[in-house]
Amino acid sequence: MEKAQKSTKAARGTVTCDNTTMHLLKANDFVAESIRRKMAEQGILLLNITSSAGSGKTTLLQETAKRIGHKVNMKILVGDLETERDADRLRAVGVDALQIVTGGICHLEAQMVWQAMDNLDLNGVELLIVENVGNLVCPASFDLGEDYRVTLIATTEGDDKPKKYPRMFLTSELMLVSKTDLLPYLPFSVDAVVADARDINPNIGVLQVSSTQDIGIDEWCNWLLEKVKEKQSSTTHKKNESHVFSDPR
Amino acid sequence: MHEISLVRNIFNTLESEFSKAELGNLSAIDLRVGKLSNVEPILMQNAFEAVTTAEDKYQQVRLNIEVVPIEIYCSACDARSTIEDYKFACAACGQPNNNVVKGTELLIHRVHFG
Ligand SMILES: Nc1nc2c(ncn2[C@@H]2O[C@H](COP(=O)(O)OP(=O)(O)OP(=O)(O)O)[C@@H](O)[C@H]2O)c(=O)[nH]1
Ligand SMILES: [Mg+2]
Ligand SMILES: [Zn+2]
């Protein structure tokens, strides 16, 4: 075990650093924890949706909003390198969506989500979905304070992708195999991609979806509603506990 | 990738921990970069050179990068295993396991002055 050394005296020679203070993403992780606390207080389920560029995140979220937008109070934050297009597409189906333009940065950072939340009325919101920038590398390292990561992999991609991007699949709760309507025309094997993902993350859940042919969308929406319910019951639970705690009568 | 911003993070981190005078005497930085951190040592070195040259500071500083392998811990066996081929399983009992205890780090491990 390395011993943490304080640098109050003039540092000379070799200084072995404290692992936590010298962690390069600590600023991000600090903000992510603030987001997590805020979401816990308000009982909002926060999801971080990731994939390679063009795997079908926005299309799936459009279908999701159409399907359960009236059942659950949901909002969407959507990251993009340059354009506002995805937020427009989401607003077109009636969901309150806000674009985070990263200006060329290849991932969302917790600070960007935190700032965007200022421009979003979270009153009564039960589900907040963040669509990350299409990229399986960098977003994997940036905690956004989410409850769950959900990663899409389209049938138009390689079924050996999980092992190429292990961090993402390691940290995802659910893998959505998307564009399954195209399976008959492609060499993609669902069994192979599931095996590849489970080598990395034995606990990862898997659903197969097609947003254009309405395959698996109900299962996905049920998963969402279930998680929203879990989050709410854990929040009321905690509220009751803290109530007992703060009221000694 | 975001190596350039990571290099800036390195300097910001050091500048919040050490004084200007101390940093004037900085000679080397040892980074620990886990295999799962998604950082490519070569790209990191290039970014380091680019930033120090462009900003004309820390040009005398050497960057050493230690790549840390992935390790998991199995509580049933009380054993650690190194993961070589992205097959996350305990080497002792063979059970699938993604309880990663090493390999995600991205930190300044040591700094050398003088
Ligand atoms: N065949 C088929 N095409 C789909 C499906 N879902 C999305 N697409 C198409 O795939 C393309 C990309 O879809 P998007 O939903 O924009 O993908 P995205 O992941 O949001 O893309 P980025 O935000 O740019 O990373 C579009 O042309 C969609 O019409 C699907 O289920 N089946
Ligand atoms: Mg999109
Ligand atoms: Zn074991």
Side-chain angles (χ1 to χ4, degrees), chain A residues 216-229:
Chain A
I217 306 295
D218 277 333
E219 285 85 341
W220 155 243
C221 287
N222 288 340
W223 184 90
L224 275 176
L225 294 173
E226 189 60 36
K227 295 296 182 193
V228 167
K229 222 164 60 194

Side-chain angles (χ1 to χ4, degrees), chain A residues 17-30 109 141-142, chain B residues 2-16 29-33 37 39 44 48 63 65 104-109 111:
Chain A
C17 304
D18 182 329
N19 281 356
T20 46
T21 57
M22 299 304 234
H23 175 48
L24 293 185
L25 300 180
K26 73 171 177 202
N28 181 81
D29 292 352
F30 180 82
E109 297 193 6
S141 301
F142 290 85
Chain B
H2 48 267
E3 275 83 3
I4 296 272
S5 73
L6 287 176
V7 170
R8 294 230 161 79
N9 282 358
I10 294 176
F11 293 138
N12 290 341
T13 306
L14 291 175
E15 281 158 18
S16 70
I29 302 167
D30 297 354
L31 283 191
R32 275 200 170 153
V33 164
S37 70
V39 168
M44 193 77 177
F48 187 81
L63 182 68
I65 302 178
T104 59
E105 45 279 90
L106 178 49
L107 49 89
I108 304 169
H109 167 52
V111 280

Side-chain angles (χ1 to χ4, degrees), chain A residues 75-134:
Chain A
K75 299 209 174 181
I76 299 177
L77 289 172
V78 47
D80 194 272
L81 294 167
E82 302 294 350
T83 74
E84 281 270 350
R85 255 174 248 156
D86 282 359
D88 291 341
R89 284 168 61 194
L90 291 163
R91 282 191 286 261
V93 297
V95 61
D96 190 4
L98 196 69
Q99 190 83 46
I100 305 175
V101 178
T102 64
I105 298 176
C106 52
H107 57 270
L108 288 177
E109 297 193 6
Q111 186 63 38
M112 303 175 192
V113 173
W114 181 257
Q115 277 169 1
M117 279 176 173
D118 279 349
N119 300 316
L120 210 60
D121 182 7
L122 291 178
N123 233 322
V125 171
E126 299 164 291
L127 170 63
L128 179 60
I129 298 181
V130 178
E131 177 184 330
N132 216 313
V133 179

Side-chain angles (χ1 to χ4, degrees), chain A:
Chain A
M1 280 257 109
E2 301 101 29
K3 199 104 187 93
Q5 230 166 295
K6 279 268 177 265
S7 56
T8 38
K9 299 209 186 78
R12 261 184 291 147
T14 297
V15 177
T16 302
C17 304
D18 182 329
N19 281 356
T20 46
T21 57
M22 299 304 234
H23 175 48
L24 293 185
L25 300 180
K26 73 171 177 202
N28 181 81
D29 292 352
F30 180 82
V31 179
E33 278 316 311
S34 306
I35 293 175
R36 195 163 277 122
R37 227 172 302 123
K38 185 182 166 93
M39 296 295 98
E41 277 162 17
Q42 304 192 28
I44 302 172
L45 181 76
L46 180 63
L47 293 185
N48 181 0
I49 312 274
T50 63
S51 79
S52 298
S55 304
K57 298 180 293 299
T58 307
T59 312
L60 178 68
L61 293 179
Q62 288 177 303
E63 289 309 304
T64 307
K66 284 189 215 159
R67 194 71 48 106
I68 57 169
H70 59 287
K71 283 190 193 159
V72 58
N73 189 335
M74 64 186 280
K75 299 209 174 181
I76 299 177
L77 289 172
V78 47
D80 194 272
L81 294 167
E82 302 294 350
T83 74
E84 281 270 350
R85 255 174 248 156
D86 282 359
D88 291 341
R89 284 168 61 194
L90 291 163
R91 282 191 286 261
V93 297
V95 61
D96 190 4
L98 196 69
Q99 190 83 46
I100 305 175
V101 178
T102 64
I105 298 176
C106 52
H107 57 270
L108 288 177
E109 297 193 6
Q111 186 63 38
M112 303 175 192
V113 173
W114 181 257
Q115 277 169 1
M117 279 176 173
D118 279 349
N119 300 316
L120 210 60
D121 182 7
L122 291 178
N123 233 322
V125 171
E126 299 164 291
L127 170 63
L128 179 60
I129 298 181
V130 178
E131 177 184 330
N132 216 313
V133 179
N135 172 354
L136 285 175
V137 184
C138 310
S141 301
F142 290 85
D143 183 8
L144 302 181
E146 68 266 23
D147 292 286
Y148 301 110
R149 258 179 208 180
V150 174
T151 298
L152 275 72
I153 175 162
T155 55
T156 46
E157 303 170 46
D159 52 22
D160 58 349
K161 244 185 177 168
K163 282 197 182 154
K164 291 186 180 159
Y165 304 97
R167 176 89 175 252
M168 189 58 93
F169 290 88
L170 191 64
T171 53
S172 292
E173 177 78 9
L174 183 65
M175 173 172 77
L176 296 177
V177 180
S178 62
K179 308 192 189 181
T180 54
D181 55 291
L182 301 177
L183 273 173
Y185 318 106
L186 295 163
F188 188 95
S189 157
V190 175
D191 288 344
V193 81
V194 171
D196 214 50
R198 293 224 163 117
D199 270 353
I200 296 164
N201 182 355
N203 308 320
I204 199 166
V206 180
L207 290 175
Q208 300 183 40
V209 296
S210 163
S211 303
T212 53
Q213 297 295 319
D214 191 5
I215 303 166
I217 306 295
D218 277 333
E219 285 85 341
W220 155 243
C221 287
N222 288 340
W223 184 90
L224 275 176
L225 294 173
E226 189 60 36
K227 295 296 182 193
V228 167
K229 222 164 60 194
E230 276 173 23
K231 181 78 183 231
Q232 285 172 347
S233 64
S234 83
T235 305
T236 30
H237 202 68
K238 283 211 192 79
K239 268 193 186 139
N240 292 339
E241 272 171 16
S242 66
H243 183 69
V244 171
F245 205 71
S246 62
D247 185 353
R249 278 175 305 158

